[in-house]
Amino acid sequence: MQESQGTLTTHVLNTATGLPAAGLGVRLAQLQEPGLQWMELAHRHTDEDGRCQPLLAPGQARAGTYKLHFETAEYWQGLGHTSFYPFVEVVFIITDPAQKLHVPLLISPYSYTTYRGS
């Protein structure tokens, strides 16, 4: 069986300023069965470009349900703002571990948007 070459990346943009969201905490967890418990796999912070090292490196991806947890309250507090959303969680399913997945997040203090990127 060939090893998976899929990766998982994200990047976060501050739509209020039009700039990358630097220093924002991002956690990745996978849903474990039985028991439906989340197991944390990675914890990163975005860099000055709003990106971080891959959350799943080549060979780490497995089929399953995953959750990206973005620590938005701390980010906005660091900029002197409050946020309506204390955090943002994006839950998604990896069906093909060989695929390269990119899950961006666009944030402002009162809204957020995510999509499956490339």
Side-chain angles (χ1 to χ4, degrees):
M1 186 163 107
Q2 189 174 12
E3 190 172 291
S4 162
Q5 291 303 304
T7 58
L8 173 65
T9 57
T10 189
H11 107 263
V12 185
L13 295 175
N14 176 336
T15 59
T17 63
L19 299 172
L24 190 141
V26 181
R27 297 177 187 271
L28 174 69
Q30 183 177 15
L31 189 60
Q32 302 295 303
E33 297 194 38
L36 301 179
Q37 297 290 318
W38 290 102
M39 182 177 76
E40 187 170 306
L41 303 176
H43 183 204
R44 309 262 192 278
H45 284 85
T46 57
D47 62 17
E48 62 281 348
D49 195 35
R51 300 175 185 274
C52 58
Q53 291 296 313
L55 293 149
L56 289 174
Q60 287 186 312
R62 302 288 179 262
T65 302
Y66 292 81
K67 173 173 65 176
L68 282 171
H69 175 97
F70 297 90
E71 298 166 0
T72 53
E74 291 88 347
Y75 170 77
W76 291 115
Q77 287 168 2
L79 296 177
H81 298 287
T82 58
S83 174
F84 183 70
Y85 302 101
F87 56 85
V88 172
E89 290 186 332
V90 179
V91 178
F92 57 96
I93 296 171
I94 294 178
T95 55
D96 180 359
Q99 284 189 319
K100 293 181 179 177
L101 296 176
H102 185 66
V103 182
L105 182 69
L106 310 177
I107 59 170
S108 80
Y110 299 101
S111 69
Y112 66 88
T113 303
T114 186
Y115 59 94
R116 181 179 174 172
S118 58

